[in-house]
Amino acid sequence: MTVQEVSEMRRVPIRNDGERLQPRLPLEELNADGGLLPFVYPNGVPGYMTTTAEDFRNILGDPRFHAKRFLGEPQPGPVSVEVPDMPGFIPSMNGPEHLAVRRLAAGDFSVKAVQKLEPVIDEVVTKYLDQTQAHGSPVDLFESYNLPIPSEVIAKILGVPTTHTPEFQLAARLTIGGLPDEIEDPMAPAKAVARLHELIGEIIQLKRANPEDDLITRLTQATNPVVSDQEIWGLCTNLLLAGHETTSTSGAFAIAILLERPEAREYFLSHLDRTPEMVEELIRYVFMVTDSGGGIPRLATEDVEYGGMTIHKGEWVMPCVGTANADPTVCPHGATQLDLAREDILGHHLTFGFGPHTCLGQHLARAELKVIIPKVFERFPNVQLLTPVNELPWLDKGFGYRMAELPVSF
Amino acid sequence: MLVDYSKCTAAGQCLLAAPNVFDQSAENGTIVLLDEAPPESEYPRVLDAVNRCPASVISLANESGTTLR
Ligand code: HEM
Ligand code: SF4
């Protein structure tokens, strides 16, 4: 793309009217346009946005497009972020090297490994329900419940000793930034990543001395390939960052939707036997409405002919979960609306991506959300939202935007 | 049924689609073929697995080895 072309390009058509329960992008229009559309992203960098599920799968399944998270050069996004390069950080790796490292952890995130974790998830959820109850009404449910659960579950999978867990969780909370108390310190996320590095280094030494049945121990013992301490750090940081914010904020948003819409709450609570399907629809919907044009950039490593156009080497394509999840081939009826009665959504929406980088933690995310969401209503039958969803504080983030508070009474 | 292990990204979609035919290795999460020639009653589920696999690992061939999809 030439400078001239970029200057004439449309900006990503993101709505900014503060309406949180409507898609942020004009999904139906984009679906109808089809193909890859060039846009300038909010940080000024151009990229081609996918507009259908087929394009989404094609781009993410094509090895000529590379996943790159850390580059000297900017990539399309909401804001330009600086993150250190980390060996073992699989979202930036490609090809056989990527699969080799991904498989080191994949055994712990398989469908059956996650089934075995169900009692652990129940225990963690119950702990934070108890703490929320002890805190008393009113409470910020995001802070007291949704936020701490995913990082504690990941800590248990990794084998973080209970002595280190609170600091591990604090670092996790700080890496996502923007929480009310920390806004004053713009370096807080970078400092938290550095602190995480030290913590994981300490834990690696502990596990070498006293091996246990956990992921960090297994990584220290791996022989094919041998994993360096740096790579263990990168991989563990990756697991924490990928699983912490996504699961905490989507669970909070799902609960907020049920609190705001009495008919959805009523339907949900009277069909608890369909919890997996209803949670799947909430996951589809939440990541569809919040998508601001693709948080999973891909870089063309050579010129690629696609759909009658040439994507040049060095250009970015932005696979867009919003348009993919609204595509009639994925969701045939009323796709832009939440419909908890929908059947057969499981495994067919594209919230967890596609291709070799497909979310490694998707079975864990589902297992957590299908407990996190209904349990709040079971424990606190009178729970009510204290601020309408549109008036809650929201933060703009890479994948879209996320809620920062969920004040409720119970 | 042909399975290209080298591409498997351990996403477990195959096992969710057709649990009688596919499993995941406990060690590295990659695909394990439980039944190389599943009965006809499994065909719809196997086809669903072929479509859902994010890494195009599974393909189907007839007896003479011609790839069907
Ligand atoms: C609702 C919650 C979640 C959503 C929507 C989500 C979504 C995604 C998406 C779209 C990708 C693909 C990124 C790309 O292609 O560049 C991804 C990758 C990943 N996710 Fe998740 N995720 C969630 C929860 C989790 C959890 C709980 C974990 C595990 C602790 C996790 C671990 C990962 C990892 C390790 C990757 C990188 C995989 C790779 O690059 O090979 N995610 N996730
Ligand atoms: S769905 Fe595909 S990538 Fe995932 S485990 Fe099965 S074969 Fe491997």
Side-chain angles (χ1 to χ4, degrees):
Chain A
M1 290 174 223
T2 63
V3 175
Q4 175 69 21
E5 279 166 352
V6 172
S7 70
E8 286 166 7
M9 219 176 262
R10 272 206 295 161
R11 303 214 133 240
V12 182
I14 300 175
R15 66 191 294 161
N16 263 325
D17 55 2
E19 181 54 69
R20 301 299 178 184
L21 293 171
Q22 292 297 327
R24 195 135 198 229
L25 295 167
L27 299 175
E28 282 154 332
E29 258 171 63
L30 291 165
N31 276 163
D33 286 344
L36 306 188
L37 298 181
F39 285 118
V40 178
Y41 277 73
N43 65 353
V45 183
Y48 292 99
M49 189 197 290
T50 69
T51 59
T52 65
E54 193 189 349
D55 295 329
F56 184 91
R57 291 195 198 91
N58 287 345
I59 299 297
L60 289 173
D62 187 331
R64 294 173 295 178
F65 293 103
H66 276 190
K68 290 273 174 215
R69 287 293 193 275
F70 311 121
L71 283 177
E73 56 194 278
Q75 40 187 284
V79 284
S80 290
V81 275
E82 293 257 340
V83 212
D85 203 353
M86 284 186 257
F89 195 87
I90 56 178
S92 313
M93 300 173 77
N94 292 281
E97 205 193 15
H98 161 252
L99 281 187
V101 178
R102 179 170 160 122
R103 286 175 183 180
L104 290 169
D108 286 62
F109 294 91
S110 71
V111 173
K112 287 184 180 163
V114 169
Q115 275 165 4
K116 288 203 199 108
L117 271 173
E118 280 169 8
V120 175
I121 296 172
D122 278 340
E123 187 193 308
V124 174
V125 169
T126 304
K127 169 177 162 184
Y128 288 102
L129 283 171
D130 292 347
Q131 283 190 11
T132 304
Q133 190 152 23
H135 175 283
S137 171
V139 69
D140 175 3
L141 203 60
F142 180 63
E143 180 76 29
S144 74
Y145 182 67
N146 294 93
L147 188 64
I149 293 171
S151 60
E152 186 149 335
V153 173
I154 298 166
K156 288 192 187 289
I157 297 173
L158 296 179
V160 175
T162 44
T163 46
H164 289 60
T165 302
E167 221 193 323
F168 181 81
Q169 284 179 287
L170 180 64
R173 181 183 186 283
L174 294 175
T175 54
I176 63 182
L179 285 152
D181 328 342
E182 295 104 30
I183 279 174
E184 301 93 67
D185 182 3
M187 287 307 289
K191 284 185 199 155
V193 172
R195 181 63 193 129
L196 212 49
H197 192 175
E198 288 169 10
L199 272 177
I200 292 170
E202 280 170 34
I203 299 167
I204 293 171
Q205 295 319 317
L206 289 173
K207 299 291 166 177
R208 284 201 202 284
N210 290 305
E212 282 174 277
D213 180 16
D214 56 48
L215 182 54
I216 293 183
T217 301
R218 276 190 284 286
L219 292 171
T220 62
Q221 294 170 343
T223 51
N224 181 29
V226 171
V227 196
S228 69
D229 286 6
Q230 282 293 330
E231 285 171 314
I232 299 179
W233 170 59
L235 189 53
C236 292
T237 306
N238 175 192
L239 289 167
L240 180 61
L241 298 187
H244 169 57
E245 179 172 6
T246 43
T247 314
S248 57
T249 60
S250 60
F253 195 5
I255 292 169
I257 293 169
L258 297 177
L259 289 173
E260 175 125 324
R261 296 186 171 169
E263 67 303 339
R265 176 179 185 160
E266 161 88 41
Y267 184 92
F268 189 90
L269 295 179
S270 54
H271 293 82
L272 288 174
D273 53 319
R274 294 189 66 250
T275 300
E277 291 85 355
M278 295 190 294
V279 166
E280 203 66 24
E281 168 64 357
L282 284 162
I283 294 174
R284 181 194 74 87
Y285 177 80
V286 163
F287 288 92
M288 177 188 73
V289 288
T290 56
D291 193 355
S292 307
I296 47 177
R298 288 297 184 272
L299 185 69
T301 57
E302 54 184 89
D303 287 2
V304 178
E305 298 298 323
Y306 188 85
M309 61 198 253
T310 307
I311 298 154
H312 295 100
K313 179 176 175 179
E315 290 180 338
W316 292 96
V317 180
M318 304 296 283
C320 171
V321 169
T323 49
N325 278 358
D327 189 316
T329 63
V330 166
C331 194
H333 307 291
T336 56
Q337 300 304 315
L338 178 76
D339 179 1
L340 294 174
R342 231 183 264 292
E343 304 277 344
D344 201 26
I345 270 297
L346 196 74
H348 295 280
H349 66 79
L350 290 154
T351 300
F352 293 110
F354 198 77
H357 291 274
T358 305
C359 182
L360 183 63
Q362 59 181 286
H363 309 302
L364 178 63
R366 292 185 170 104
E368 291 185 44
L369 291 172
K370 84 187 187 213
V371 182
I372 289 171
I373 300 168
K375 285 283 178 189
V376 164
F377 295 91
E378 184 186 298
R379 176 69 70 99
F380 308 114
N382 298 322
V383 57
Q384 295 296 339
L385 205 53
L386 291 177
T387 312
V389 166
N390 285 347
E391 286 161 34
L392 290 170
W394 294 80
L395 295 167
D396 253 309
K397 299 289 290 184
F399 258 83
Y401 54 85
R402 68 168 184 83
M403 59 180 14
E405 272 172 43
L406 183 54
V408 300
S409 64
F410 60 81
Chain B
M1 185 156 27
L2 307 168
V3 169
D4 182 351
Y5 294 92
S6 73
K7 291 200 287 187
C8 176
T9 188
Q13 302 304 317
C14 50
L15 154 66
L16 292 178
N20 298 329
V21 183
F22 305 107
D23 199 356
Q24 278 181 287
S25 136
E27 196 196 325
N28 68 10
T30 56
I31 184 171
V32 174
L33 199 50
L34 300 175
D35 187 350
E36 252 169 73
E40 230 170 281
S41 57
E42 288 288 343
Y43 287 7
R45 283 187 282 273
V46 171
L47 210 59
D48 191 31
V50 172
N51 291 332
R52 275 166 65 172
C53 172
S56 315
V57 169
I58 314 160
S59 51
L60 303 177
N62 65 15
E63 269 133 50
S64 55
T66 317
T67 306
L68 301 176
R69 57 183 301 161

